[in-house]
Every structure is written in C-alpha cells, then in structure tokens.
Amino acid sequence: MPQTPPAAPHRELPADAYRDMTRILRIGLITALVILLGGIVAYLAENSSIGFRQMVAQNPIVHYLGLDALAQGLATGQPEAYLTLGVLVLVATPIARVVTGLYFFARNREREMALVATTVGILLFVGILVIGPFLR
Amino acid sequence: MELIWYLVILAVVAIAAGFVGSLTGIGGGIIIIPVLVIFFNVPLVVAIGASVITILANSATTGSAYLHDRLTDLRIGMFLEIATVPGAIIGAVLTVYLVHADLQDALLVALGIILILLAVAGLRRIRDDAYAVAVPDRRSRRLGFFGSYHDAQLNETIAYQAADTNRALGIMFAAGLVAGMFGIGSGVLKVTALDDALKLPIKVSTATSNFMIGVTACATTGVLLAAGYVNAVLAVPVAVGATAGALMGSYILPGVRSRTVRIAFTLVLVGLSIELIIRGLGGP
C-alpha cells in the first residue's frame, strides 16, 4: 500500500496578506468605478444625439485598446479613452491580487504555492496579451 | 428614445436583478445576459462582455468582504485557479470563434440550456454547514490544504481539510469553460467542486468561490476586451446597478433566504432561458 506523505507543517498566511488583498480589491474597484462613471458622463455629454443601437454597434472604446491610441486619447481628454482605462483598471485588479498572493507565498517560503501563483499570472498574461488580440 | 434613458433603464433593471439575486443567493448577473439580448436586442457576445464586467465588479465587492472576514481559503482558491483560468480562456476563445463562424444561434441555445441547468442546480443546493469528514489526498497534505474559521453563528472554530483535489481540478476546469463561454460566474459549479469534491464547509466554499470568480472573469474579460467585444458604455450602468443592487440586498435583508422569492426568480430565469432557446432555434 503506498505511503501517504506526512502533512506539511501548516504555514498560516500572515494577517497582512488578507488585509492587503482586501485593500487591493477595494481600491481597484473604487478607482475603476470613479474613472468609468466620469468617462460615461463625459461620453453622454459629447454624444447626446447618438442612438442606443448605434452605440452598441460602434463600441466606442474599440479604437483605444492599443497603448499609443490610449495614451493619446487620455492626453486629449477623450471620454472613450477614460472608459477604456476604467475597464483596464477593473481587469488589472484581480491580476494585482494574484501578484500579491505570489509575494506572500514567496515571503512565507512556500515554493510550490509561489509556483502556483506564478502559473496563474502567466496564464492570465498569455490569455489577455497574446490570445485576445489574435482574435480581433 | 435618447441613449441616456436606455442606460438609466438598464441601470434600474440591473439594480433589481442584483437585489433579488443577492436575496436569493443565485446571483443577479446570471439574468443580465438574457435581459440584454431579449429586451434590448444586444448581440449575445456584447451582452456577455457587459456581464463579465458586472461579475468583475461584483466579485471585488463580495470577495473583499469574505477576505476581510478571513472565510476565504487563499491557498485552495489560488491552486484551483490553475484549472479555471485556462478553462475560461478556452471558453472565451470558443465563443469568439462561434460568433466569427456565424453560429450565434447555437450559442443562444446552449446558453439557454446552461442557464436552466444552473437555475435548477441553484435551487437544489442549500444545505446546512454540517459537512462530511474529508480524507485528504497526497497533494492536499503536501500543500497544506487545511484550515479553520470562526463561525459567528455557532460561536465555535470549525476546522476543515480538503479531500479530492484531482476531481476538484476537473470540475473547476469545466466551471471555467462555462464561465468563459457564456460570461457567467459559474458559482454553482465552483461551489460544487469545493463542497462536494474537496468537502469544505459551505461558508468556506462560498467565500473561496467568490474569491476565484474575479480571476476567472478577469481571464474572460481580457480575451473579450482584446477581441473588441467589451462595450464600456453598455457595461457601466449594468455593472454599477447590479453591484449596488447586490449591496442593498446584503445590507437591507441580511440572512433572508425566502424560498418564494427564490422560486419566483428561478421561474423568471427559466422563462428567459426558454425564450433564448426559441430565438436560437429561429422562432419569433
């Protein structure tokens, strides 16, 4: 009968791991919502005559998905660029949480769990930065 | 009608969906896609894009609350994301492929069927916090998948350990795939993996599932955003409304799980899902 390995000594993650992840999720959400709400108010002010179907068909943020276009749009105060930034902050929030997890596992000297967090991070980057743009 | 009024109506509908979804425990986001498709004639993939933004906002709200209460098992949650993230990416890619291949109707039928199955599964799975004794597998012992939490209602510390990690990984991949394809949280499937396969207490399962839903939705959103299917003007009122509604539901009526409201919500969801299937099959 195969021997089961003894349970690893349980290293409780420190309280600041929970605290920092909670803060990251809250700060990320609030920041994203502020940018998005500001962006949508400005968008509606500039596009009062546009129809619902036209807005859905055009997708106002699609032109600002590249870094150059986004930077230029933000610099010139384009509402669509700020809407794009808000969505990006919302998407980046869970990624920041994964990176925070990696930091605490590494600090706690949990090599396997640090490897798990690194793998999740790499999968997210591949999905978002490689596979997504390939589908456009 | 002017654009602003469409967005106001959308926000009000999203508040109601988030409120009732929170009250019933099923989640309001699940009803957003059929509402956008049926009543606002939004293309399915754009509705999915709006839904994942809503899920991201919702999971940051509820996920941070559970983290603050230390009900979430960070170790188990992050480990299982190894399965949900690739599932979500493959699911989102499949959806974009089906849209590009002009097979949205097949996607509508599949979504209708999935929503009915999830609604019925959501009705079935309420049980108390008594859970089966878990026999941890080799990986669970090696990675230290055990812990404890303080149950405020029972006023005692509940200890737990995780059982079948291979089965949990399989279910989580399926949950990620469904979440990625249809832009839903798949909380029912995730809780099933944590609850049935790992034998975790239901409170830890629910908290850890919420923690994971954000990263799964992040993978889906990233793919759909880069592919050009996330419309922020449409998504903002839906996300803000659904999140506000969910917060209202959790603050105003804490602990209420009305069976009547739950059944009514499920019936509405099943009705909308049948309409999606009829549309997908070319009906009126």
Side-chain angles (χ1 to χ4, degrees):
Chain A
M1 200 174 123
Q3 292 282 312
T4 52
H10 189 48
R11 301 187 194 97
E12 186 72 29
L13 277 175
D16 51 351
Y18 289 84
R19 188 199 60 206
D20 288 359
M21 285 192 199
T22 305
R23 278 185 186 165
I24 282 172
L25 291 180
R26 287 181 180 164
I27 291 170
L29 176 68
I30 292 167
T31 307
L33 288 182
V34 167
I35 297 171
L36 286 168
L37 287 171
I40 204 158
V41 169
Y43 175 82
L44 288 171
E46 280 195 10
N47 298 274
S48 55
S49 60
I50 195 169
F52 181 75
R53 280 167 196 263
Q54 192 187 351
M55 179 276 294
V56 171
Q58 283 178 350
N59 190 2
I61 72 167
V62 81
H63 304 296
Y64 295 93
L65 294 176
L67 271 183
D68 290 342
L70 179 63
Q72 201 176 356
L74 291 173
T76 54
Q78 298 299 315
E80 293 89 343
Y82 283 89
L83 286 167
T84 310
L85 180 68
V87 172
L88 289 175
V89 171
L90 203 54
V91 171
T93 301
I95 298 174
R97 191 269 278 164
V98 171
V99 173
T100 310
L102 168 62
Y103 165 75
F104 279 105
F105 285 128
R107 204 179 80 173
N108 225 27
R109 295 168 191 252
E110 296 190 54
R111 276 199 320 187
E112 282 182 298
M113 285 309 300
L115 187 65
V116 163
T118 305
T119 307
V120 172
I122 290 171
L123 286 169
L124 285 172
F125 276 108
V126 168
I128 295 168
L129 298 178
V130 180
I131 297 176
F134 183 72
L135 296 172
R136 205 181 304 165
Chain B
M1 191 162 58
E2 287 180 35
L3 176 61
I4 189 167
W5 293 113
Y6 274 101
L7 301 184
V8 168
I9 293 169
L10 261 179
V12 171
V13 170
I15 289 172
F19 181 77
V20 182
S22 165
L23 193 66
T24 56
I26 296 174
I30 203 167
I31 213 162
I32 292 295
I33 301 175
V35 165
L36 284 172
V37 171
I38 294 169
F39 298 110
F40 291 85
N41 282 318
V42 172
L44 179 58
V45 70
V46 180
I48 290 174
S51 172
V52 288
I53 294 291
T54 306
I55 294 167
L56 270 178
N58 252 325
S59 73
T61 311
T62 52
S64 62
Y66 284 128
L67 265 174
H68 184 261
D69 294 341
R70 299 191 69 160
L71 277 172
T72 307
D73 193 307
L74 291 176
R75 216 179 242 100
I76 294 174
M78 292 199 78
F79 170 72
L80 293 175
E81 282 165 0
I82 281 187
T84 58
V85 170
I89 292 170
I90 293 169
V93 170
L94 266 175
T95 291
V96 174
Y97 171 77
L98 288 171
V99 170
H100 287 182
D102 209 13
L103 291 169
Q104 296 96 317
D105 289 346
L107 208 54
L108 275 176
V109 174
L111 174 62
I113 293 168
I114 288 285
L115 289 183
I116 290 172
L117 291 175
L118 290 179
V120 173
L123 260 190
R124 281 179 54 208
R125 52 152 295 99
I126 306 179
R127 64 177 183 78
D128 58 28
D129 220 358
Y131 66 100
V133 175
V135 180
D137 64 11
R138 189 179 280 262
R139 185 188 289 126
S140 174
R141 291 165 66 86
R142 197 177 69 238
L143 295 178
F145 288 163
F146 45 88
S148 61
Y149 72 98
H150 182 73
D151 191 310
Q153 281 173 320
L154 301 173
N155 195 25
E156 64 178 281
T157 300
I158 310 281
Y160 62 86
Q161 51 190 358
D164 189 347
T165 53
N166 282 333
R167 193 167 149 241
L169 281 172
I171 301 172
M172 283 297 179
F173 179 78
L177 193 69
V178 170
M181 270 195 89
F182 302 112
I184 54 180
S186 287
V188 172
L189 277 171
K190 287 191 177 79
V191 174
T192 299
L194 294 159
D195 186 21
D196 291 349
L198 294 183
K199 312 279 185 214
L200 300 184
I202 192 70
K203 282 179 182 162
V204 177
S205 297
T206 306
T208 307
S209 164
N210 259 291
F211 175 78
M212 297 173 62
I213 282 172
V215 165
T216 314
C218 169
T220 310
T221 311
V223 172
L224 293 180
L225 176 69
Y229 290 115
V230 173
N231 186 324
V233 178
L234 183 71
V236 171
V238 177
V240 172
T243 306
L247 276 174
M248 282 160 58
S250 60
Y251 280 115
I252 294 173
L253 296 163
V256 172
R257 287 288 183 271
S258 164
R259 188 170 169 76
T260 310
V261 176
R262 196 178 175 85
I263 290 171
F265 185 71
T266 304
L267 287 175
V268 170
L269 182 57
V270 169
L272 292 172
S273 305
I274 290 170
E275 172 66 20
L276 286 180
I277 294 171
I278 291 170
R279 284 188 179 215
L281 294 173

